[in-house]
């Protein structure tokens, strides 16, 4: 069969008949807006792009056949740095390069046979589109959400432009691989931070992947804490720090300020080593924000000699350091360093020999032996001796024969006895081993609450762990009664945990044995003055009241999110619609271009190379730059920066509903008719940029009165990444890119689409297997051969088994497509076809037609061809999705899950529809269940029909 000829013919017919052109108002069908992230025209599509678009089209087609009026548009995100860099590299104009790629990619996209409504195509580089991008900018400006400011930005010296943090990979430009530096540049920004709380809270309303929500939450980075004022010694000046852990303030042993902090200029004359400090600041400016925050980088800093701060809680003086791991824009640009409770501070303190004070200790409740109600509580100081045999790395333990618990040698610390002395004594008394060498004390105390069965009392123990190495096997005599009631055992290191030993403190000892030096969780305060003994949460509240009463601080909520820097010093972008009226005698200042003068056309200049000094190439064009002020008519100058391409893609979903409107970005009725988007599909790599920006735009436009909704995409699904056959991400530089055009020529579009759906879970992707597509092609050839050959031999003889499988398959495929489980849907389709092949003499044309409808979303061309061979009058894609008969999908048997106290203990085959009484009888016949239940009282039976039975004993 000539798949290519069939596919091209049907694509032509679909185009002529406009079967995919979406009507704006269809009374008999509910509107459904299905959208894939539009492509960037950077060159030919590779198979990874197909993986985004082709399986998504299966979902789109299914929804249409299921009765929805589906809008599935496509367009091109045409502006941006990649096109400009590619054009410069090739010596052609960015516009020529971009539109050449758009033409090529359009042909490639059409070859998929996707049901895109091409009449709604948008190209963000068209003046008809970016007129409204500029209009959006003006709305932001008018409403105080767009402003200009000199900010430190990531600067690529090779691309000569500002980069967002996300465009800097390992300190280098993601496009040209040049080392990125920091520059102070006048930039336009959007106040996305004004929407931080709403962007965070509204995530819970969305049907989005949980990982994506978490990524956005982390990017927004909400933290609730306190501002604490640390007065500077002998000066009428305070350093304000932001902390989420006010409960650790008594452990503060130094302050750290960011290199950008204004204290440097304010106290310049007081800093004795100002030259050293200024040199450090200069070095810090060369690093990107991401480089400064790298967890594994060596911590560096310089003390501000001559400057001391006073801890307001205990009046202790602490040194002040400047260090680049603190950022000027986060919080106050200063932090209190508590090295005992922060790993970063600990590393810094160890490097500069600064004090480390523990002020919060773990607070554990023993789950195995929790405090007993009504028993007296005794508080005491304890010690645990962790004795290790260095020859085999095993640990000495005692097993109680009476209580069956396993412990380390342990006991109370006597008066005037150190923890090490107590640990040695307990070890010798309980085990006899007397020759042990101290390795280290395992950090500070751990507070634990438990019921001591052997004393019949509750205990609150403040315990210290001490690690020893066994020197030799020499022993002292042990109390006979103790020796009889306990067994000495040696436990492998991997079994030194709470599952094996009964200590509530075990998790902490394990962490400390593995080298964790800090404790960063909540706990109980120690060495903290009047707050000692309080739990962290209570202490923070009381400390906040103390700060407020003494006017030394306040509650504060901070966000890691920064305002969105939208200026780009490049040519290929939407010009920012701003004019500067600033003659020598004074002028109007920053003036927005009047809306009626939009769009500000991007001129077709010859010299589009970026300038060395960092100005946009548009600065070369006097005709573009020199204008009259819209307010006063005096000579003025245009803004020459262009907008970040993420601005273009932050509202494109709105334009699809009304792409040719010259009066508005979209008609209000059409917006209400279609929006928000019902299903959005695209890569997870956009979680912290595009998806966050488009949500911000939507909320801002809602506040401005243009939208009646605050979230753009009700549901979101991600496709995985197709890897090359070498297991690496596809890229031209690696030479592992798969060309879909060649695959289409060789196997046909339907086979390529279907294999992409079949190769694995859609959200996971995986390596491309060049042989896998052969199996799919053979499957389609079998379908064509069988249906073509039996179209005149159909039988009306009914096959009950086939009919039942057909209805089960309809249900399975419907649910799988709805849940983006395309691979399992195709598996079900293959099983059904195998059964049709086996029983083709008993297949009527109704069964075959229903099979073709199930095939249609996956293989639209072949299914259309065979549909018409069977006498179909209209397109199979305009047919209704088949429905299943609930009575025919019931299984005669099912797997009954048998649980005891909620844990699955056995599974047996049972007849569908059995009663609880019958299920109990069947379950109790199980040998496994008999063993576990015999002699036990069954207190309760929980039965879920055709699923499980649970005996509570």
């Amino acid at each position: 069969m000539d798949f290519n000829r069939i596919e091209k013919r049907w694509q032509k017919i679909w185009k002529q008949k406009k079967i995919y052109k979406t009507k704006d108002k269809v009374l008999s069908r509910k509107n459904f807006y299905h959208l894939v992230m539009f492509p960037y025209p950077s060159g030919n599509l590779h198979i990874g792009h197909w993986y985004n678009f082709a399986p998504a089209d299966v979902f789109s087609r299914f929804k249409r056949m299921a009765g929805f009026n589906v809008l599935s548009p496509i367009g091109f995100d045409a502006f941006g740095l990649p096109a400009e860099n590619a054009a410069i590299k090739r010596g052609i104009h960015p516009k020529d390069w971009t539109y050449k790629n758009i033409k090529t990619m359009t042909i490639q996209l059409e070859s998929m046979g996707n049901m895109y409504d091409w009449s709604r195509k948008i190209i963000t580089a068209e003046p008809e589109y970016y007129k409204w991008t500029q209009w959006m900018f003006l709305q932001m400006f008018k409403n105080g959400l767009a402003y200009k400011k000199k900010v430190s930005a990531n600067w690529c010296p090779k691309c000569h432009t500002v980069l967002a943090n996300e465009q800097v990979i390992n300190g280098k430009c993601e496009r040209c691989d040049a080392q990125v530096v920091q520059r102070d540049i006048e930039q336009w920004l959007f106040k996305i931070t004004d929407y931080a709380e709403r962007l965070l809270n509204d995530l819970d309303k969305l049907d989005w992947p949980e990982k994506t929500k978490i990524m956005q939450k982390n990017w927004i980075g909400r933290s609730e804490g306190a501002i604490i004022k640390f007065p500077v010694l002998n000066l009428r000046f305070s350093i304000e720090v932001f902390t989420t852990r006010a409960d650790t303030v008594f452990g503060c042993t130094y302050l750290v300020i960011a290199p950008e902090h204004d204290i440097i200029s304010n106290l310049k004359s007081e800093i004795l080593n100002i030259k050293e400090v200024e040199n450090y600041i200069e070095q810090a400016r060369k690093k990107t924000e991401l480089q400064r925050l790298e967890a594994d980088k060596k911590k560096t800093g310089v003390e501000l000699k001559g400057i001391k701060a006073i801890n307001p809680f205990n009046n202790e003086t602490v040194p002040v350091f400047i260090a680049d791991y603190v950022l000027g824009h986060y919080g106050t640009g200063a932090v209190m360093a508590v090295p005992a409770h922060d790993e970063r501070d600990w590393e810094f303190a160890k490097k500069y020999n600064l004090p480390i004070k523990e002020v919060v200790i773990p607070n554990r409740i023993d789950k195995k032996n929790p405090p007993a109600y009504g028993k007296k509580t005794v508080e005491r100081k304890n010690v645990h001796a962790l004795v290790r045999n260095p020859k085999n790395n095993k640990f000495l333990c005692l097993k109680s024969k009476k209580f069956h618990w396993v412990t380390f040698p342990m006991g109370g610390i006597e008066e005037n006895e150190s923890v090490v002395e107590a640990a040695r004594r307990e070890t010798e008394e309980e085990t006899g081993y007397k020759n042990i060498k101290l390795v280290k004390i395992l950090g500070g105390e751990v507070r634990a609450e438990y019921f001591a069965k052997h004393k019949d009392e509750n205990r609150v123990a403040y315990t210290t762990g001490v690690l020893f190495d066994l020197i030799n096997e020499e022993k002292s005599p042990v109390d006979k009664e103790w020796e009889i009631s306990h067994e000495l055992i040696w436990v492998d290191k991997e079994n030194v945990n709470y599952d094996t030993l009964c200590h509530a403190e075990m998790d902490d000892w394990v962490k400390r044995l593995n080298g964790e030096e800090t404790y960063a969780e909540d706990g109980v305060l120690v060495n903290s003055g009047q707050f000692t003994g309080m739990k962290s949460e209570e202490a923070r509240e009381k400390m906040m009241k103390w700060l407020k009463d003494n006017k030394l601080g306040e509650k504060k909520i901070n966000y890691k999110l920064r305002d969105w820097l939208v200026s780009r010093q490049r040519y290929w972008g939407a010009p920012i619609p701003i004019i500067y009226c600033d003659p020598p005698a004074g002028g109007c200042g920053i003036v927005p271009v009047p809306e009626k003068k939009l769009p500000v056309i991007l001129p077709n200049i010859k010299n589009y190379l970026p300038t060395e000094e960092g100005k946009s190439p548009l600065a070369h064009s006097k005709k573009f730059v020199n204008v009259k002020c819209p307010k006063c008519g005096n000579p003025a100058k245009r803004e020459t920066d262009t907008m970040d391409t993420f601005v273009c893609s932050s509202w494109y979903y709105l334009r699809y509903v009304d792409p040719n409107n010259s009066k508005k970005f979209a008609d209000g009725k059409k917006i209400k008719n279609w929006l928000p988007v019902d299903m959005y599909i695209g890569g997870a790599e956009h979680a912290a940029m595009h998806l966050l920006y488009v949500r911000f735009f939507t909320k801002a436009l809602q506040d401005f009165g243009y939208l009646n909704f605050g979230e753009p995409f009700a549901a979101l699904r991600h496709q995985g990444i197709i890897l090359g056959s070498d297991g690496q991400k596809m890229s031209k530089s690696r030479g592992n890119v798969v060309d879909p055009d060649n695959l289409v020529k060789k196997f046909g579009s339907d086979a390529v689409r279907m294999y992409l759906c079949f190769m694995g879970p859609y959200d996971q992707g995986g390596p491309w297997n060049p042989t896998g597509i052969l199996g799919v092609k053979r499957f389609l050839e079998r379908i064509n051969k069988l249906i073509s050959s039996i179209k005149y031999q159909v039988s009306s003889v009914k096959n009950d088994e086939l009919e039942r499988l057909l209805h089960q398959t309809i249900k399975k495929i419907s649910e799988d497509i709805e849940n983006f489980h395309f691979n399992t849907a195709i598996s079900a389709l293959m099983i059904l076809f195998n059964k049709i092949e086996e029983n083709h003499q008993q297949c009527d044309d109704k069964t075959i037609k229903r099979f073709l409808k199930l095939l249609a979303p996956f293989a639209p061309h072949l299914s259309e061809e065979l549909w018409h061979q069977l006498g179909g009058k209209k397109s199979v894609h305009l047919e209704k999705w088949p429905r299943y008969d609930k009575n025919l999908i019931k299984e005669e048997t099912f797997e009954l899950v048998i649980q005891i106290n909620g844990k699955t203990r056995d599974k047996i085959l049972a007849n569908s529809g059995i009663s609880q009484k019958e299920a109990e009888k069947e379950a109790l016949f199980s040998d496994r269940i008999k063993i576990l239940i015999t002699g036990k009282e069954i207190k309760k039976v929980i039965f879920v029909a055709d699923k499980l039975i649970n005996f509570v004993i």
Side-chain angles (χ1 to χ4, degrees):
M1 182 178 184
D2 189 347
F3 284 105
N4 281 292
R5 181 183 59 80
I6 289 172
E7 288 170 358
K8 287 177 182 177
R9 180 162 61 85
W10 281 113
Q11 287 167 16
K12 186 178 179 181
I13 293 171
W14 294 336
K15 195 172 186 178
Q16 288 172 346
K17 293 190 174 182
K18 300 179 180 179
I19 73 165
Y20 300 135
K21 185 175 173 62
T22 309
K23 295 180 180 179
D24 279 309
K25 194 173 184 181
V26 179
L27 296 176
S28 61
R29 290 185 169 210
K30 182 183 175 184
N31 287 334
F32 189 94
Y33 190 173
H34 169 266
L35 185 62
V36 292
M37 292 183 185
F38 61 169
Y40 191 90
S42 56
N44 291 357
L45 294 175
H46 61 65
I47 203 67
H49 297 114
W50 267 62
Y51 194 59
N52 181 20
F53 300 123
D57 184 62
V58 172
F59 179 82
S60 186
R61 288 178 176 279
F62 163 72
K63 296 301 285 188
R64 190 181 197 191
M65 293 180 75
F68 291 90
N69 180 41
V70 177
L71 172 59
S72 184
I74 194 68
F76 296 94
D77 189 12
F79 273 141
L81 191 57
E84 189 167 338
N85 282 346
I88 291 170
K89 185 178 180 180
R90 290 163 177 80
I92 61 176
H93 196 277
K95 184 174 182 180
D96 296 336
W97 165 255
T98 300
Y99 278 81
K100 176 178 173 288
N101 289 335
I102 287 174
K103 185 177 180 180
T104 301
M105 291 173 71
T106 299
I107 294 170
Q108 291 181 302
L109 287 166
E110 287 177 335
S111 76
M112 291 185 196
N114 289 359
M115 55 168 281
Y116 295 135
D117 182 353
W118 283 96
S119 69
R120 295 174 183 262
K121 179 180 74 174
I122 60 172
I123 299 174
T124 60
E126 294 284 347
E128 294 79 12
Y129 183 87
Y130 68 72
K131 167 186 178 178
W132 298 106
T133 303
Q134 293 170 339
W135 181 87
M136 300 274 178
F137 181 96
L138 294 180
Q139 305 318 303
M140 295 286 187
F141 181 76
K142 289 176 182 177
N143 288 277
L145 292 179
Y147 66 98
K148 195 169 190 183
K149 180 183 178 183
K150 182 173 274 192
V151 294
S152 179
N154 301 316
W155 176 259
C156 176
K158 190 173 179 181
C159 294
H160 301 293
T161 191
V162 165
L163 301 174
N165 278 338
E166 302 81 20
Q167 295 167 313
V168 181
I169 309 297
N170 296 324
K172 294 182 178 180
C173 173
E174 69 170 349
R175 295 296 176 191
C176 72
D177 213 33
Q179 190 69 41
V180 174
V181 297
Q182 298 298 294
R183 251 196 198 184
D184 285 340
I185 306 175
E186 286 279 347
Q187 302 284 301
W188 281 98
L189 299 99
F190 286 157
K191 294 182 75 174
I192 190 172
T193 51
D194 281 9
Y195 286 77
E197 195 71 17
R198 283 167 63 184
L199 288 168
L200 194 62
N201 293 338
D202 290 352
L203 281 169
D204 294 333
K205 305 174 185 176
L206 301 176
D207 177 15
W208 285 24
E210 199 58 37
K211 285 184 179 178
T212 302
K213 291 184 183 183
I214 291 170
M215 284 176 72
Q216 288 216 349
K217 287 176 181 178
N218 291 340
W219 194 260
I220 296 166
R222 184 186 191 275
S223 53
E224 196 170 319
I227 297 288
I228 302 177
K229 295 178 181 178
F230 281 71
V232 177
L233 185 66
N234 299 325
L235 294 171
R236 299 180 67 179
F237 192 93
S238 289
I239 299 173
E240 293 188 351
V241 305
F242 172 76
T243 179
T244 59
R245 294 297 305 273
D247 55 314
T248 66
V249 67
F250 283 84
C252 171
T253 58
Y254 61 101
L255 299 188
V256 184
I257 63 170
E260 305 86 359
H261 203 289
D262 57 13
I263 191 176
I264 307 299
S265 55
N266 291 339
L267 299 179
K268 193 171 181 179
S269 60
E270 306 292 331
I271 301 172
L272 303 179
N273 56 335
I274 189 63
K275 287 295 181 186
E276 183 185 10
V277 171
E278 288 176 340
N279 287 338
Y280 184 84
I281 293 171
E282 187 61 32
Q283 292 302 311
R285 289 175 61 81
K286 296 177 182 177
K287 299 178 184 178
T288 67
E289 181 177 313
L290 295 176
Q291 285 175 313
R292 287 169 59 178
L293 291 176
E294 286 173 358
D296 58 351
K297 85 176 188 76
K298 292 181 179 178
K299 304 297 182 286
T300 62
V302 173
E303 184 180 355
L304 304 184
K305 293 181 180 175
I307 305 296
K308 296 285 185 185
I310 302 171
N311 187 329
F313 280 90
N314 56 16
N315 291 319
E316 289 183 3
T317 59
V318 294
V320 180
F321 283 77
I322 182 172
D324 62 12
Y325 71 79
V326 177
L327 302 176
H329 66 83
Y330 182 72
T332 62
V335 298
M336 64 178 203
V338 186
H341 304 292
D342 183 280
E343 186 176 351
R344 184 183 57 177
D345 294 343
W346 185 88
E347 290 176 15
F348 194 90
K350 293 298 284 187
K351 180 174 181 177
Y352 292 99
N353 198 28
L354 297 163
I356 298 173
K357 296 180 181 178
E358 185 177 54
V359 293
V360 177
I361 63 173
N363 183 41
R364 308 300 181 202
I365 306 294
D366 193 330
K367 294 176 183 177
K368 292 178 182 175
N369 299 292
Y373 179 76
K375 299 292 184 181
K376 71 173 182 176
T377 299
V378 175
E379 189 172 296
R380 66 185 232 153
K381 293 276 189 179
N382 263 7
V383 67
H384 286 172
L386 285 71
V387 180
R388 177 179 62 194
N389 186 338
K391 293 178 181 178
N392 56 20
N393 209 26
K394 291 189 175 186
F395 285 79
L396 177 62
C397 296
L398 294 122
K399 184 175 182 179
S400 169
K401 295 177 181 178
K402 181 178 180 181
F403 298 105
H404 307 292
W405 60 37
V406 180
T407 69
F408 291 126
M410 59 172 289
I413 302 172
E414 296 177 358
E415 193 174 350
N416 299 321
E417 189 178 37
S418 72
V419 290
V420 175
E421 290 169 342
R424 286 184 183 277
R425 174 179 52 75
E426 291 291 348
T427 300
E428 190 171 353
E429 286 179 0
E430 294 182 356
T431 72
Y433 288 108
K434 61 181 183 179
N435 294 325
I436 54 178
K437 180 177 73 173
L438 175 67
V439 177
K440 65 175 180 178
I441 297 174
L442 295 174
E445 294 177 328
V446 177
R447 183 183 186 274
E449 297 181 34
Y450 59 94
F451 176 61
K453 292 180 184 177
H454 61 301
K455 296 291 185 180
D456 195 35
E457 64 186 19
N458 293 327
R459 284 188 173 172
V460 175
Y462 288 83
T463 305
T464 304
V466 184
L467 177 63
F468 296 98
D469 273 349
L470 184 69
I471 297 173
N472 57 45
E473 300 283 338
E474 187 180 350
K475 284 187 179 183
S476 299
V478 176
D479 179 80
K480 288 296 180 186
E481 187 177 338
W482 174 269
E483 190 173 26
I484 291 168
S485 62
H486 290 80
E487 176 188 354
L488 286 184
I489 60 174
W490 288 89
V491 175
D492 292 329
K493 187 183 178 183
E494 55 266 27
N495 291 322
V496 174
N497 53 48
Y498 187 52
D499 289 336
T500 304
L501 289 94
C502 70
H503 302 303
E505 304 90 339
M506 273 312 308
D507 286 344
D508 300 288
W509 301 152
V510 169
K511 287 177 183 177
R512 294 173 189 185
L513 282 170
N514 290 331
E516 291 190 28
E517 303 287 351
T518 59
Y519 177 71
E521 301 169 32
D522 280 0
V524 171
L525 272 64
V526 294
N527 307 316
S528 297
Q530 61 183 303
F531 305 99
T532 295
M534 293 183 188
K535 292 181 179 177
S536 290
E537 190 174 354
E538 178 192 4
R540 285 194 288 270
E541 288 298 317
K542 297 233 172 132
M543 286 174 168
M544 277 310 312
K545 184 178 184 307
W546 185 90
L547 286 168
K548 187 176 180 181
D549 291 346
N550 290 277
K551 297 181 180 179
L552 287 167
E554 60 183 352
K555 279 188 177 180
K556 179 76 173 177
I557 295 173
N558 264 335
Y559 303 91
K560 281 165 56 179
L561 182 68
R562 296 173 66 178
D563 279 342
W564 176 10
L565 196 156
V566 298
S567 295
R568 294 294 180 267
Q569 294 70 42
R570 296 305 294 252
Y571 165 71
W572 192 234
I576 294 175
I578 290 293
I579 292 170
Y580 301 100
C581 178
D582 193 22
C588 305
I590 296 176
V591 182
V593 172
E595 290 181 17
K596 63 183 179 180
K597 294 289 186 180
L598 297 179
V600 176
I601 298 291
L602 180 68
N604 195 16
I605 61 175
K606 291 182 180 179
N607 185 4
Y608 54 83
L609 296 176
T611 64
E612 290 290 338
E613 64 273 18
K615 288 187 178 181
S616 165
L618 290 176
H620 294 308
S621 173
K622 292 181 179 179
K623 186 177 179 182
F624 176 81
V625 172
N626 296 318
V627 292
K628 289 185 178 180
C629 174
K631 278 189 176 181
C632 67
N634 287 325
K637 294 186 182 297
R638 286 194 191 278
E639 171 63 74
T640 57
D641 282 358
T642 54
M643 277 186 256
D644 178 8
T645 187
F646 279 115
V647 180
C648 303
S649 60
S650 288
W651 72 277
Y652 83 107
Y653 77 98
L654 298 167
R655 188 63 174 173
Y656 279 133
V657 305
D658 197 10
N660 301 310
N661 196 326
S662 61
K663 302 289 177 69
K664 298 177 179 178
F665 68 87
D667 177 75
K669 288 183 180 178
K670 291 182 179 179
I671 288 173
K672 289 180 181 178
N673 205 30
W674 286 110
L675 291 159
V677 172
D678 295 283
M679 178 59 71
Y680 194 40
I681 300 169
E685 68 272 14
H686 296 289
M689 293 185 286
H690 164 62
L691 289 172
L692 194 64
Y693 295 152
V694 73
R695 293 183 62 222
F696 159 61
F697 249 71
T698 303
K699 293 179 187 304
L701 289 172
Q702 180 188 38
D703 290 350
F704 303 160
Y706 296 108
L707 301 179
N708 63 339
F709 56 92
E711 285 292 339
F713 313 122
L716 169 72
R717 298 294 181 268
H718 295 310
Q719 84 277 8
I721 296 174
I722 296 289
L723 305 175
S725 55
D726 57 359
Q728 299 294 315
K729 186 176 179 180
M730 282 190 185
S731 71
K732 291 176 183 177
S733 62
R734 290 193 181 97
N736 63 355
V737 170
V738 175
D739 182 358
D741 293 355
N742 292 333
L743 292 171
V744 171
K745 287 176 186 175
K746 188 174 181 180
F747 301 104
S749 175
D750 283 349
V752 178
R753 289 169 57 104
M754 205 160 181
Y755 176 61
L756 287 170
C757 292
F758 187 53
M759 64 185 293
Y762 184 56
D763 62 346
Q764 294 179 25
W768 177 259
N769 179 358
T771 61
I773 196 170
L774 285 169
V776 173
K777 187 190 178 192
R778 292 191 190 106
F779 175 64
L780 294 176
E781 287 172 339
R782 284 169 53 208
I783 292 171
N784 176 61
K785 182 179 179 181
L786 179 71
I787 295 178
S788 294
S789 65
I790 68 167
K791 62 180 178 177
Y792 301 113
Q793 306 171 28
V794 290
S795 170
S796 58
V797 178
K798 195 171 184 181
N799 184 316
D800 291 339
E801 186 181 357
L802 177 59
E803 185 75 3
R804 186 182 301 109
L805 179 61
L806 172 65
H807 285 265
Q808 290 170 349
T809 306
I810 292 170
K811 180 177 185 291
K812 169 77 173 158
I813 292 177
S814 302
E815 292 173 351
D816 281 354
I817 294 177
E818 196 75 62
N819 292 305
F820 287 74
H821 298 160
F822 305 116
N823 58 326
T824 53
I826 292 174
S827 293
L829 197 65
M830 289 176 170
I831 292 168
L832 174 62
F833 184 72
N834 289 341
K835 185 61 90 173
I836 289 173
E837 261 186 334
E838 290 173 17
N839 301 275
H840 67 271
Q841 297 296 337
Q842 297 176 327
C843 272
D844 57 18
D845 63 342
K846 186 179 178 183
T847 298
I848 297 297
K849 283 184 175 180
R850 284 184 290 185
F851 173 80
L852 287 177
K853 288 180 183 180
L854 297 176
L855 177 68
F858 301 99
H861 306 91
L862 178 61
S863 57
E864 186 78 289
E865 176 76 9
L866 295 174
W867 180 260
H868 281 79
Q869 285 183 21
L870 290 176
K873 299 300 182 185
K874 62 180 181 180
S875 171
V876 68
H877 305 297
L878 299 178
E879 292 288 335
K880 289 184 179 179
W881 187 255
R883 293 185 177 182
Y884 59 85
D885 185 335
K886 291 181 180 180
N887 293 319
L888 289 176
I889 64 171
K890 288 182 179 178
E891 295 281 359
E892 293 180 359
T893 60
F894 74 100
E895 192 174 56
L896 177 65
V897 176
I898 309 172
Q899 296 179 336
I900 296 177
N901 291 345
K903 288 187 177 181
T904 299
R905 298 300 186 183
D906 200 2
K907 295 177 182 179
I908 61 171
L909 206 61
N911 292 325
S912 298
I914 63 171
S915 65
Q916 178 175 331
K917 192 173 182 180
E918 291 171 319
E920 285 183 36
K921 187 177 178 182
E922 294 282 347
L924 293 172
F925 270 124
S926 163
D927 290 335
R928 290 184 186 177
I929 303 303
K930 281 180 185 176
I931 292 170
L932 294 168
I933 280 186
T934 300
K936 306 281 175 57
E937 178 191 353
I938 299 175
K939 294 183 177 180
K940 186 179 180 183
V941 177
I942 300 167
F943 177 66
V944 180
D946 289 351
K947 284 189 178 180
L948 65 84
I949 189 164
N950 178 24
F951 297 102
V952 181
I953 63 173

